[in-house]
Amino acid sequence: VCDAGGRMISASHTYRASSKAYLFEITPEAGFLTAGKQSEVAVRLLTLNDTQAAGMGTWELHSIEPIPAYKPEAQIADADGAAELARHLRWIKNTHRVPGGTIDLTADKPSSIKLDSVPAGLYRLTLKAADPWGGSCETSIFLVSAQQKGKTDLNLPPVAIAEHSSYKPGDTARFLIGAGALKGVKYVEIWSGNFLLSRSMVDEGALSVVEVPVTMAHRGGFAVNWLGAADGIMYRGQASTAVPYG
């Protein structure tokens, strides 16, 4: 559109469309679960305008096994976080059901689901609530539970997941790295900006948790890069986390 002076005027607005009136926002307290430890998941029920709504919901946790073999489409397979995991597992069915429960969804703050400790494995968390437009709204996410020490043998695409999005000096940062196809070592580098802080080797294959003691040198944030190979395929990934200066 042009105004009287011939200037071009443009504007845009984004709208969310859905067959349901409600959507779930699901935020685990950690990027991955640790076998043998309890965890918590924050949940909000949202309208299509991102307004928080109140209601009653139910939740279920299912383990998923066996996990189908991951077959890379190229000679290099990069970790692509939750998106790659969802693509690989989108058609897989639930198996064993872990006891679930109900959740009181409030309009003023996130509600919480407390998950009991579960063994290492892959899980699907599903939430449901009655929808004012009829039927119910439903949302699922995948959760990976890893061994605290040693390898976690799960048939997954390459992953690089920080346990938390932010740390402070004195903390120990934890990252889940690797791929199910790896049988040998993984090479790990820690970078802060343009500076290589450390380089190490993880002996076990598959997936494993790498711990990084956070120091003043990590302020400003840092990234964990990993690399491994199996059967002529290179697997790699990167995960980053913030370390505020204050």
Side-chain angles (χ1 to χ4, degrees), residues 135-200:
S136 63
C137 61
E138 178 179 328
T139 303
S140 297
I141 63 169
F142 291 105
L143 298 171
V144 180
S145 175
Q147 300 283 7
Q148 189 162 4
K149 300 291 184 183
K151 74 174 181 178
T152 299
D153 242 334
L154 293 176
N155 217 350
L156 294 182
V159 297
I161 307 171
E163 185 177 34
H164 299 295
S165 60
S166 179
Y167 292 92
K168 62 182 184 299
D171 291 341
T172 298
R174 301 172 74 240
F175 298 82
L176 179 62
I177 66 168
L182 292 177
K183 303 174 182 65
V185 300
K186 297 184 286 286
Y187 300 93
V188 180
E189 294 181 342
I190 311 296
W191 288 83
S192 180
N194 296 325
F195 298 97
L196 176 61
L197 300 183
S198 66
R199 180 181 285 130
S200 61

Side-chain angles (χ1 to χ4, degrees), residues 48-88:
L48 297 184
N49 294 323
D50 286 331
T51 302
Q52 194 162 324
M56 288 298 299
T58 61
W59 64 272
E60 294 181 347
L61 187 67
H62 290 85
S63 64
I64 296 176
E65 53 185 342
I67 303 170
Y70 172 71
K71 298 179 180 179
E73 298 179 357
Q75 295 299 304
I76 298 177
D78 289 301
D80 192 19
E84 180 66 18
L85 195 61
R87 284 194 295 271
H88 178 53

Side-chain angles (χ1 to χ4, degrees), residues 83-100:
E84 180 66 18
L85 195 61
R87 284 194 295 271
H88 178 53
L89 301 170
R90 61 188 180 277
W91 304 120
I92 195 169
K93 295 181 179 179
N94 296 331
T95 48
H96 177 66
R97 181 178 182 273
V98 180

